[in-house]
Amino acid sequence: MQLVDPNNMTMDFHRRSLQSVPGDQPDRSDDAAGAWIRHGWEEQYTSEEYLNLLNSEFYMYYTDKRHETGGNPREESQSDQFQEWRMRQRLKTVSAALVVCLNLGVDPPDVVKTHPCAKLECWVDPTATAASVKAMEQIGKNLQAQYETLSIRTRYKQQLDPSVEETKKFCCSLRRNATDERILFHYNGHGVPKPTSSGEIWVFNRNFTQYIPISLYDLQTWLGAPSLFVYDCAEAGTIIHNFNRFIEKHETENAELRQKDPNAQIVNYSDCIQLGACATKETLPTNPDLPADLFTSCLTTPIEMSLRFFVMQNPLPSSISLEQASKVPGRLQDRRSPLGELNWIFTAITDTIAWNYLPHSLFKKLFRQDLMVAALFRNFLLSQRIMRVHGCHPQSSPEIPDTHQHPMWQSWDLALEMVLAQLPAMLEADEGTRVYEYKASTFFTEQLTAFEVYLSHGAPDKRPPDQLPVVLQVLMSQIHRLRALVLLSKFLDLGPWAVMTALSIGIFTYVLRLLQSAANELRPVLVFIWARLLAVDQSCQVDLLKDSGYRYFIQILKPDEPMPLIQNVSEHRAMCAFILAMFCRDYHQGQVVCTDSSVMTACLAHLDDRHNPLLRQWACLCISQLWVDYPEAKWLGIREMAPQRLCELAYDPIPEVRAAMLYALNNFLGIPDITEQVARTEETLTWSILPMANDSSSLVRKELLVFFSTFVKRYENNFMVAAHELLVEESQDDVRSSSNSGSDGLTSQPRENVLGPEQSTATDISQGTIFAAVWKRVLILSVDPHAEVARSAGIIVDCIHAALLQSPLGLAAQSAMNRISKNSKRSQHQKSSSSLELPFRQQNTRPATPTGNGAHDGDFFGTLKRTASIAAMASLKHFAFGSSNAPSPPRSSGGMPPAQNHNGPQINGPPRSQLPAEWSRPPDQSDQLSTHVPYRPAKVPKPPRYKKNTSLTQDLPLQSTFLAYSMEYFREPQMKPEEADEPGSTEYNERLWRRTRNDKVIDLTQPQKEDAANSRWDVPAGFFDNGSQPMKMCFHQFEDHLAVADDRDTICIWDWQAQQKINRFSNANPVGTKINDLRFINEDDQAYLMTGSSDGAIRLYKNYESESRITMMSSWRALTDLVNSNFNAGLVFEWQQGQGRVLVAGDIKVIRVWNAATEICTTTIPARSGSCVTSLTSDQVAGHIFVAGFGDGAVRVYDQRLPPRDAMVRVWKDHKQWITNVHMQRGGTRELVSGSRNGDVKLWDIRMSAPLSTIRAAKDTLRTLSVHEHAPVFAAGTAHHSIKVFNVDGRRLSGFEPYSGFLHQHRSAPISSTCFHPHRMMLACSALNDNHVNVFSCDIKEHKEEGEPLVPNGSF
């Protein structure tokens, strides 16, 4: 059910239709009042308060997700295959070799230095110290200290001016100690020649008299892999290029070694990372304002280098010197200090740049796998920006694109400038000359605002926001944490792609750590975030258990836990139930800790929460996950009476809650030891949910069948006995009914008289047991109108019958099946031989439209194609026909009331049976339809997300998809408004257009009501061939659609303005049944087509006008206990749009009220009559009053506000024959008109005990009666091919015959159907044995608008 914004819907027609109908009505003295309405409703319906209430809300029905999806989870597409976000192989850089080859005081032979030139090495000036040894030690010490700011836990070893032997020994020692972890090799080659063309690097001999090259191949062999190389020397690109070439050589050798010895240990040299200061043919910068090791300074001291670079590049005059720029106070680890804040901002900016430029897999490898690698690559991005200004282009492997133009660098410059602007004051404060408090940067606040702007646009292209890595950094700050979490939750709400994006950026570690926080204000947002995470990735279970994070959600779930800062507590507890359900799903350790933590007790307490159905649903599902393959939890459930508590939800108003309850009970079944207590508990709860087989929600019925399949599998032997006994019973019933049926096939003796007392009292083993009761429900569901329900039930039937045939009872069962098939063929032959003598209702001479559903294939009395469905077909024959030779329905067991009472009064039992029998027969009782035109099959619409069963074998139990379907709620956006509520969206504009169109139709037609009561109605407006016999028709209020149902199961949709057939489909009702009525629902917006057929089923179709997009949104058996009768009305229904109710009656003794929102039968009102209900009508505005016409001529009025037994408030018995139709106008003066078979039409006021007037509309049989919804006119179709139109004063306005087919060959055929357009002055009609539909309009000229005919062009 969907609540629609009244501003987008047409509701004014209700207000306008409540006005009086002016005209010549001298017998109505109340006309002077100006707002005259029948039945005393004028005061109520014209009050301003009531009209405002009418306009305030308007609901659309059968538009929920369960209808749009069929209750099936969405198929995962290729785009839904989520990438792995965890680092399964997290490495550490455990050791580092800091190799510095400077040989201070001696320049290499291939280097010519400028004067002045860069001197600083690790921010040490070697020339400032006389002793080169001390300078070298200081440089090594500073280099190690700089690296320690990146990773304090790494073991650093300095190698200052090493020899080849020392280098080899040192490298081999590092690899031996590091085992499989990463090693850092930092090489400073400022004091040695450039690398050779083959990539060799240089060191010294022991006496520092020679430069000795080291082959990269040897270096790779010494250090092994994984390793990290940093080359701070000229032409570093040459080293990287040759290094990769030698890796390929190693890989070739490894492949050869693997061929010789598959078990040989090899080293994967490709897992090496390299960073180089410059490209091939490039030399290092020599600017004296820069350090000589500029690359190393960028990698290890990025903040100092950034400040220096900013001062050097600043085009504006500034008093800040390079020396002052290096004196920014604070510590890198203190984010509240200026230096620490800059370091924090720098980390966020470089992460953001890398996230935007790199593929996610490479980003994860370089920035999330190893802290040392991540720090160096963040700083490497800075080196790209700084060194390119000085003619160098740093290189890396894997290669990273140039990032110096990213706009985030401007934000970095702004952050630097804000700190430098405050630097003089901060330095003075440090000296004590003034008091100054540092003003923190607004960087993170601005970035969060930018993130909020991104979220406000909804991410239509699913492009990740640039600010996401910044949000990750903000979570470290208590100041911005809450706002960052709220924005993060909004981002995760965008869908699974957003969740995976956040996980890949590294958000998981932070939100896991926050579960240890005791801050109450974080509870709602953390619950929301974790619900989204677990909906996408269930692997977080281990992390929740390891850190006891699950306790965070258990605490919130407890009903007695105070939640002062959460407004919608129930919704967040529902999320907690979902989180714990996912925590237990397929995770035994999670089940154990949750069972020990009283989670089940908390969930059972929440079953009583009447305000939040989501909480009830997930409380059931959470309990279900505790029970899956965990007997201890099931025994705990027995002790806490959990199954009984769950069964109380059998009539919950929300179908998802009822389905969740069934899902939980299904998981409860299966305690290994079937003790007496276990068996009794399982049978009791099965009895409790047995009535849910009549639930109108297909979602519930599917889950019920999953439960039944588990129960059947658990007690398979008992069900084989029940199936065998029912087969034997049905075979005997077929024989007896065949031998006792009369020649006309319409009478049969009572069961007791046929069988005799000794045979009818035979004892059955399964009689009165739960197994027989369940088996009969499964058989009934195997012919359910919903394809998926029927298929699931058919699988259960097939499996039991297959097992039965393989059992010791197999021969007897096969014999019973053969007798049923033989008797069915005999019945078919008898029907065919007597077809000329039988009424049409008992014939079936045309082939039916194939339904595409095995449960519907074939004739109920014909050859039964599926062995598994024999019993089901035999059990449901009485649904297809009203003939009394149909066998009795399955007897109810265990005290359940029988489906029908054969000892009860029949139609000819009441006193009115003294009247002639034909008076109580339907007008079409003796119709003979022509069979010369072949019946063409039509397509059967399927439910949404329907998948054909391609498996050849099916095993029990059935597998439920309800949990996966329910999980989709937490994968879909919940904070975003519906598309139809977003101004400017396509759906919003379409709805707005429909509103304008609807208003235009109403404005055009409302003034025509006065003239319609005094004008002719015989102006031809359309004529088209339907292709089959039209029997029921219905106009759409606003669309140019006319739905036409034929005498079988086919519906045609016509565009009456263009006179084109736009769709044709099958209603899939069984052979021998027909469509009794059609209605459009939700007409103010996107309408559905509702059909009712004589098999007792209601079906709804969406996109009924499109052959490719039509789907069956819902279907259920509204009448489950049709009564045997000689004369049948089938199923009649009335749809109340304002109340969302379907009133259903027919060949039963009650009138059922089905609620469209809850999809359950809310009220069963006794009809208080022994005759069948032939028609229903109701007050469409308030919806409390409805009127029923009966086969014996009675008309009864009911008030739904009263208790069911007292609901009948008036009965009129002025008609003496079958009520053809009774109708109350939805507009105008609310005239209540009834017509009977003998041609009498009466007008009623529910306050009066006698009719207001009687009009003799036909001298012969009245076949049809139609009343216009707003104009005071009605049309009568007669048995002599004529249609007469009267106004409510009894004056005949028109009389005409509809056009027939070729050469007017059916001029004497009775009228089969008439139908008024709800607003336009149009009438559609058809005749028997004529496939054509005629459309006539009213001859109104004075209210036609200029250039706009009453009936649009093309209709005449």
Side-chain angles (χ1 to χ4, degrees):
M1 181 178 68
Q2 176 186 0
L3 176 61
V4 177
D5 183 358
N7 294 325
N8 294 339
M9 300 304 302
T10 301
M11 293 301 299
D12 290 342
F13 80 91
H14 288 294
R15 179 190 295 268
R16 280 171 279 182
S17 63
L18 288 169
Q19 306 305 315
S20 63
V21 181
D24 297 331
Q25 302 183 25
D27 57 328
R28 299 176 184 172
S29 59
D30 292 339
D31 280 359
W36 187 89
I37 295 179
R38 185 73 74 186
H39 317 298
W41 291 338
E42 58 271 8
E43 181 177 353
Q44 175 187 1
Y45 287 176
T46 56
S47 67
E48 191 66 25
E49 179 182 357
Y50 184 82
L51 293 176
N52 291 336
L53 177 64
L54 195 65
N55 289 332
S56 62
E57 292 182 353
F58 185 75
Y59 289 94
M60 308 291 291
Y61 297 94
Y62 299 101
T63 58
D64 294 321
K65 181 187 175 183
R66 64 178 178 271
H67 303 114
E68 298 290 342
T69 64
N72 298 314
R74 185 169 62 93
E75 290 188 41
E76 290 191 0
S77 60
Q78 188 174 0
S79 60
D80 294 332
Q81 302 300 322
F82 303 123
Q83 298 179 357
E84 178 60 46
W85 57 271
R86 290 180 181 271
M87 294 303 304
R88 297 299 180 186
Q89 186 181 5
R90 187 175 292 276
L91 299 177
K92 296 179 182 179
T93 302
V94 296
S95 301
L98 306 180
V99 180
V100 181
C101 299
L102 293 179
N103 194 16
L104 296 177
V106 180
D107 293 335
D110 57 351
V111 174
V112 178
K113 292 185 178 180
T114 61
H115 295 282
C117 68
K119 301 177 183 178
L120 299 179
E121 296 282 353
C122 296
W123 303 105
V124 174
D125 185 355
T127 63
T129 305
S132 61
V133 176
K134 291 185 178 181
M136 195 67 181
E137 291 177 354
Q138 186 62 38
I139 291 173
K141 183 179 179 181
N142 281 12
L143 180 61
Q144 180 173 336
Q146 291 170 193
Y147 266 109
E148 285 176 347
T149 62
L150 306 182
S151 177
I152 190 66
R153 296 184 179 180
T154 303
R155 299 187 299 270
Y156 298 94
K157 297 292 184 180
Q158 303 174 26
Q159 285 290 300
L160 307 178
D161 293 340
S163 64
V164 174
E165 293 79 7
E166 292 173 341
T167 303
K168 178 179 179 181
K169 179 180 178 181
F170 179 65
C171 291
C172 293
S173 174
L174 287 178
R175 173 48 61 193
R176 185 167 52 254
N177 295 330
T179 61
D180 295 331
E181 298 291 346
R182 180 172 280 121
I183 295 175
L184 167 65
F185 182 82
H186 178 95
Y187 176 72
N188 183 326
H190 296 174
V192 294
K194 299 176 182 178
T196 64
S197 58
S198 59
E200 296 169 312
I201 60 175
W202 299 90
V203 290
F204 304 98
N205 62 359
R206 291 183 182 273
N207 300 324
F208 294 96
T209 58
Q210 290 182 334
Y211 300 107
I212 307 298
I214 296 178
S215 169
L216 290 179
Y217 183 86
D218 293 336
L219 187 63
Q220 290 175 349
T221 305
W222 299 341
L223 288 173
S227 298
L228 170 61
F229 297 87
V230 177
Y231 311 118
D232 190 352
C233 61
E235 298 192 19
T238 303
I239 303 176
I240 295 176
H241 172 73
N242 287 279
F243 191 97
N244 293 332
R245 184 167 56 86
F246 284 120
I247 288 178
E248 296 176 359
K249 182 177 179 181
H250 277 293
E251 294 296 329
T252 303
E253 294 174 354
N254 290 338
E256 295 175 355
L257 181 61
R258 194 180 295 109
Q259 289 180 353
K260 296 179 182 179
D261 184 7
N263 299 322
Q265 294 184 355
I266 59 175
V267 179
N268 182 18
Y269 290 97
S270 61
D271 192 11
C272 290
I273 300 172
Q274 303 173 80
L275 299 175
C278 56
T280 305
K281 305 298 183 181
E282 289 183 353
T283 58
L284 299 178
T286 58
N287 188 329
D289 292 332
L290 297 174
D293 60 345
L294 177 59
F295 186 59
T296 299
S297 298
C298 289
L299 293 182
T300 58
T301 57
I303 307 303
E304 291 85 344
M305 200 61 242
S306 296
L307 289 167
R308 179 177 289 264
F309 178 73
F310 179 81
V311 172
M312 293 174 60
Q313 296 296 117
N314 188 8
L316 300 177
S318 175
S319 60
I320 304 298
S321 64
L322 293 176
E323 183 180 357
Q324 288 179 315
S326 63
K327 296 181 179 180
V328 175
R331 295 185 305 110
L332 290 174
Q333 292 75 20
D334 185 6
R335 291 193 296 269
R336 292 173 296 181
S337 66
L339 190 61
E341 186 181 55
L342 282 178
N343 185 59
W344 186 23
I345 295 173
F346 177 79
T347 301
I349 286 178
T350 49
D351 265 9
T352 300
I353 294 174
W355 169 255
N356 293 335
Y357 271 93
L358 302 183
H360 288 186
S361 58
L362 184 58
F363 175 84
K364 183 169 61 175
K365 177 181 179 181
L366 299 182
F367 287 82
R368 294 294 181 263
Q369 189 181 52
D370 187 336
L371 292 178
M372 176 67 81
V373 174
L376 287 175
F377 268 92
R378 288 192 194 100
N379 303 341
F380 179 77
L381 301 182
L382 177 67
S383 71
Q384 284 184 323
R385 185 187 189 214
I386 293 178
M387 297 189 70
R388 69 173 300 278
V389 176
H390 300 280
C392 289
H393 298 82
Q395 304 294 302
S396 68
S397 176
E399 185 178 359
I400 289 181
D402 195 0
T403 62
H404 73 279
Q405 291 183 335
H406 196 281
M408 287 298 286
W409 287 121
Q410 298 177 13
S411 299
W412 176 234
D413 289 340
L414 177 61
L416 294 173
E417 185 175 13
M418 292 179 66
V419 172
L420 291 175
Q422 302 179 70
L423 183 58
M426 288 189 291
L427 294 177
E428 292 177 5
D430 289 344
E431 295 172 358
T433 58
R434 64 176 294 185
V435 177
Y436 184 80
E437 183 178 354
Y438 173 68
K439 296 179 181 178
S441 173
T442 59
F443 170 79
F444 290 106
T445 302
E446 294 167 352
Q447 292 299 314
L448 289 179
T449 302
F451 189 36
E452 193 169 4
V453 172
Y454 165 87
L455 293 173
S456 66
H457 289 79
D461 55 353
K462 295 185 178 181
R463 178 181 175 273
D466 295 342
Q467 298 78 19
L468 194 57
V470 179
V471 176
L472 179 67
Q473 294 295 322
V474 173
L475 292 179
M476 302 177 185
S477 169
Q478 292 185 354
I479 300 176
H480 305 291
R481 180 175 295 162
L482 181 57
R483 184 187 180 196
L485 285 173
V486 171
L487 294 178
L488 177 62
S489 65
K490 292 181 179 180
F491 176 69
L492 298 181
D493 188 60
L494 295 176
W497 70 270
V499 175
M500 292 308 300
T501 301
L503 289 173
S504 63
I505 203 70
I507 213 79
F508 179 75
T509 305
Y510 295 88
V511 295
L512 179 63
R513 194 178 305 161
L514 286 174
L515 293 181
Q516 310 304 322
S517 172
N520 288 329
E521 65 272 12
L522 298 183
R523 281 186 167 190
V525 65
L526 282 177
V527 168
F528 185 92
I529 289 173
W530 270 96
R532 291 312 187 266
L533 295 181
L534 284 168
V536 174
D537 192 340
Q538 235 178 277
S539 65
C540 307
Q541 297 164 316
V542 179
D543 303 275
L544 286 176
L545 179 65
K546 181 174 60 177
D547 297 330
S548 298
Y550 67 92
R551 296 185 180 276
Y552 189 86
F553 307 106
I554 293 177
Q555 194 68 24
I556 300 175
L557 183 64
K558 291 181 179 178
D560 55 349
E561 177 70 13
M563 306 288 286
L565 298 179
I566 301 180
Q567 296 180 353
N568 47 352
V569 178
S570 295
E571 185 174 353
H572 284 84
R573 282 178 172 152
M575 294 181 196
C576 289
F578 165 74
I579 292 170
L580 293 173
M582 294 299 100
F583 176 58
C584 297
R585 187 186 185 194
D586 302 327
Y587 189 51
H588 180 68
Q589 290 175 291
Q591 291 176 301
V592 173
V593 296
C594 285
T595 302
D596 297 339
S597 302
S598 302
V599 171
M600 185 180 300
T601 304
C603 290
L604 289 174
H606 291 310
L607 296 181
D608 298 328
D609 189 320
R610 296 291 101 186
H611 302 290
N612 194 318
L614 187 66
L615 177 56
R616 300 197 302 275
Q617 176 183 348
W618 278 104
C620 294
L621 294 176
C622 184
I623 294 174
S624 74
Q625 294 308 296
L626 290 174
W627 282 341
V628 175
D629 299 327
Y630 189 33
E632 287 79 3
K634 296 179 182 180
W635 279 110
L636 176 63
I638 292 177
R639 290 192 294 271
E640 297 196 8
M641 301 185 67
Q644 291 83 347
R645 293 285 305 280
L646 288 169
C647 288
E648 294 174 2
L649 300 176
Y651 294 99
D652 191 276
I654 305 301
E656 286 84 354
V657 176
R658 302 198 295 273
M661 177 269 289
L662 291 170
Y663 184 88
L665 292 179
N666 177 62
N667 287 329
F668 173 78
L669 298 178
I671 296 178
D673 298 329
I674 307 180
T675 63
E676 182 180 354
Q677 181 184 4
V678 171
R680 184 170 60 252
T681 301
E682 293 181 347
E683 291 183 20
T684 300
L685 67 90
T686 306
W687 276 116
S688 300
I689 64 175
L690 202 60
M692 298 181 73
N694 297 330
D695 199 295
S696 71
S697 173
S698 60
L699 179 69
V700 176
R701 298 200 303 278
K702 286 193 295 184
E703 284 308 306
L704 180 66
L705 283 169
V706 175
F707 175 89
F708 281 165
S709 69
T710 305
F711 190 72
V712 166
K713 182 65 176 179
R714 187 164 170 82
Y715 300 96
E716 187 175 41
N717 292 335
N718 303 75
F719 279 96
M720 284 193 293
V721 172
H724 173 262
E725 291 178 353
L726 188 59
L727 281 172
V728 172
E729 178 184 353
E730 294 295 342
S731 65
Q732 293 173 352
D733 284 348
D734 278 352
V735 172
R736 293 178 183 123
S737 70
S738 175
S739 62
N740 290 294
S741 61
S743 59
D744 58 355
L746 295 177
T747 60
S748 64
Q749 302 178 23
R751 180 184 178 91
E752 289 77 12
N753 296 341
V754 175
L755 299 179
E758 68 282 356
Q759 291 179 330
S760 61
T761 57
T763 302
D764 293 332
I765 298 177
S766 64
Q767 186 175 10
T769 66
I770 185 60
F771 311 109
V774 170
W775 181 244
K776 292 172 183 178
R777 292 301 189 279
V778 172
L779 291 175
I780 293 175
L781 290 173
S782 68
V783 286
D784 193 87
H786 195 278
E788 291 183 84
V789 175
R791 181 176 63 186
S792 297
I795 292 173
I796 300 175
V797 173
D798 289 341
C799 291
I800 290 300
H801 278 171
L804 176 61
L805 294 176
Q806 299 298 323
S807 69
L809 296 174
L811 293 177
Q814 186 63 61
S815 176
M817 292 180 182
N818 293 337
R819 287 198 300 272
I820 294 175
S821 178
K822 181 179 179 181
N823 294 333
S824 298
K825 292 179 180 179
R826 182 185 301 115
S827 174
Q828 177 78 13
H829 176 72
Q830 291 175 354
K831 284 166 54 62
S832 300
S833 61
S834 60
S835 60
L836 295 179
E837 302 176 7
L838 290 178
F840 161 69
R841 193 173 299 273
Q842 301 296 325
Q843 297 185 44
N844 183 22
T845 55
R846 300 183 184 181
T849 300
T851 65
N853 187 333
H856 292 163
D857 287 347
D859 189 354
F860 279 99
F861 293 102
T863 302
L864 299 174
K865 298 180 180 179
R866 294 177 62 228
T867 303
S869 298
I870 289 177
M873 294 297 184
S875 300
L876 289 179
K877 287 178 185 176
H878 66 289
F879 282 145
F881 300 100
S883 60
S884 57
N885 66 343
S888 305
R891 296 192 306 273
S892 299
S893 305
M896 300 294 289
Q900 69 180 48
N901 183 3
H902 291 277
N903 295 326
Q906 301 297 319
I907 288 181
N908 56 358
R912 291 172 68 90
S913 62
Q914 304 301 324
L915 300 175
E918 65 271 10
W919 286 16
S920 297
R921 293 178 180 174
D924 57 350
Q925 177 72 28
S926 303
D927 286 352
Q928 299 288 335
L929 288 183
S930 173
T931 61
H932 68 278
V933 179
Y935 198 76
R936 185 166 55 92
K939 176 183 176 181
V940 179
K942 296 300 181 183
R945 297 183 181 179
Y946 177 80
K947 292 188 293 186
K948 292 184 177 180
N949 187 6
T950 57
S951 177
L952 298 178
T953 59
Q954 292 289 342
D955 297 325
L956 297 183
L958 301 173
Q959 298 301 313
S960 171
T961 59
F962 179 73
L963 181 62
Y965 163 78
S966 299
M967 289 172 56
E968 289 184 357
Y969 175 86
F970 295 100
R971 295 181 178 180
E972 298 167 346
Q974 303 299 329
M975 300 182 186
K976 181 182 177 182
E978 294 291 337
E979 190 71 16
D981 297 331
E982 286 280 3
S985 67
T986 302
E987 292 185 23
Y988 181 92
N989 292 336
E990 288 178 353
R991 181 167 288 177
L992 196 62
W993 176 87
R994 282 191 288 267
R995 172 192 177 186
T996 305
R997 186 271 317 273
N998 298 351
D999 287 342
K1000 185 177 180 180
V1001 171
I1002 295 171
D1003 292 338
L1004 175 66
T1005 57
Q1006 285 297 308
Q1008 299 172 355
K1009 296 186 295 184
E1010 177 182 358
D1011 293 327
N1014 300 285
S1015 303
R1016 298 185 61 83
W1017 281 77
D1018 55 0
V1019 179
F1023 180 72
F1024 38 84
D1025 186 357
N1026 189 60
S1028 57
Q1029 174 63 58
M1031 297 300 290
K1032 297 293 179 180
M1033 295 187 289
C1034 182
F1035 278 103
H1036 191 291
Q1037 287 193 59
F1038 305 109
E1039 300 284 353
D1040 298 333
H1041 295 163
L1042 173 64
V1044 182
D1046 64 9
D1047 56 319
R1048 301 292 177 176
D1049 65 346
T1050 303
I1051 299 172
C1052 295
I1053 307 298
W1054 287 87
D1055 184 331
W1056 54 262
Q1057 178 172 300
Q1059 298 193 35
Q1060 293 181 351
K1061 185 186 296 183
I1062 55 180
N1063 194 18
R1064 181 177 183 267
F1065 60 93
S1066 171
N1067 190 54
N1069 44 286
V1071 175
T1073 65
K1074 66 177 182 178
I1075 301 170
N1076 288 111
D1077 210 349
L1078 303 168
R1079 290 288 189 277
F1080 287 106
I1081 73 171
N1082 302 341
E1083 290 177 273
D1084 291 88
D1085 195 50
Q1086 291 182 314
Y1088 291 0
L1089 181 64
M1090 177 182 287
T1091 68
S1093 51
S1094 57
D1095 62 338
I1098 297 285
R1099 297 172 176 86
L1100 284 99
Y1101 301 98
K1102 181 182 180 181
N1103 300 320
Y1104 58 86
E1105 75 284 0
S1106 172
E1107 182 177 0
S1108 60
R1109 297 186 298 117
I1110 184 172
T1111 53
M1112 185 174 69
M1113 301 303 290
S1114 181
S1115 61
W1116 76 97
R1117 199 172 299 283
L1119 298 182
T1120 56
D1121 45 7
L1122 294 173
V1123 177
N1124 265 353
S1125 173
N1126 291 347
F1127 316 116
N1128 307 97
L1131 176 147
V1132 294
F1133 73 90
E1134 169 76 355
W1135 166 250
Q1136 295 181 320
Q1137 181 71 47
Q1139 303 296 320
R1141 292 193 291 243
V1142 189
L1143 309 178
V1144 184
D1147 297 323
I1148 57 174
K1149 305 301 183 183
V1150 296
I1151 300 169
R1152 291 207 172 102
V1153 181
W1154 293 89
N1155 190 301
T1158 62
E1159 299 192 65
I1160 56 178
C1161 181
T1162 56
T1163 311
T1164 300
I1165 301 175
R1168 304 277 294 272
S1169 172
S1171 181
C1172 61
V1173 179
T1174 64
S1175 63
L1176 285 172
T1177 187
S1178 68
D1179 169 28
Q1180 287 289 334
V1181 181
H1184 304 307
I1185 302 297
F1186 71 90
V1187 182
F1190 290 83
D1192 59 0
V1195 178
R1196 289 176 170 84
V1197 183
Y1198 302 85
D1199 191 338
Q1200 299 185 63
R1201 294 168 292 188
L1202 299 175
R1205 290 188 177 183
D1206 304 325
M1208 192 189 76
V1209 294
R1210 188 168 298 280
V1211 57
W1212 297 304
K1213 297 186 178 181
D1214 298 77
H1215 289 292
K1216 303 303 181 183
Q1217 297 192 23
W1218 180 283
I1219 298 297
T1220 302
N1221 190 22
V1222 58
H1223 186 83
M1224 179 183 291
Q1225 290 181 309
R1226 71 174 66 178
T1229 56
R1230 300 294 190 277
E1231 294 288 358
L1232 176 60
V1233 183
S1234 66
S1236 62
R1237 171 191 170 106
N1238 64 349
D1240 287 342
V1241 175
K1242 298 181 183 294
L1243 275 68
W1244 308 90
D1245 190 307
I1246 62 174
R1247 299 168 294 179
M1248 307 298 179
S1249 59
L1252 299 175
S1253 62
T1254 300
I1255 303 170
R1256 185 67 175 174
K1259 296 181 180 180
D1260 51 0
T1261 303
L1262 179 68
R1263 296 295 301 256
T1264 67
L1265 173 67
S1266 298
V1267 183
H1268 198 280
E1269 296 290 1
H1270 298 277
V1273 297
F1274 63 88
T1278 70
H1280 289 157
H1281 199 68
S1282 67
I1283 294 174
K1284 302 174 183 179
V1285 181
F1286 298 83
N1287 63 18
V1288 293
D1289 294 329
R1291 185 160 62 90
R1292 177 171 168 177
L1293 303 178
S1294 294
F1296 52 88
E1297 295 182 358
Y1299 298 107
S1300 300
F1302 181 67
L1303 297 179
H1304 304 277
Q1305 54 182 339
H1306 299 297
R1307 289 295 299 274
S1308 61
I1311 300 300
S1312 62
S1313 178
T1314 56
C1315 173
F1316 277 107
H1317 192 285
H1319 291 291
R1320 300 181 185 274
M1321 305 304 144
M1322 297 175 59
L1323 172 67
C1325 57
S1326 63
L1328 198 66
N1329 292 323
D1330 186 357
N1331 296 342
H1332 292 86
V1333 175
N1334 288 258
V1335 180
F1336 295 90
S1337 66
C1338 184
D1339 185 16
I1340 301 178
K1341 297 181 175 60
E1342 52 268 37
H1343 285 287
K1344 292 183 180 180
E1345 296 185 4
E1346 185 69 22
E1348 183 175 2
L1350 171 65
V1351 180
N1353 292 331
S1355 298
F1356 292 93

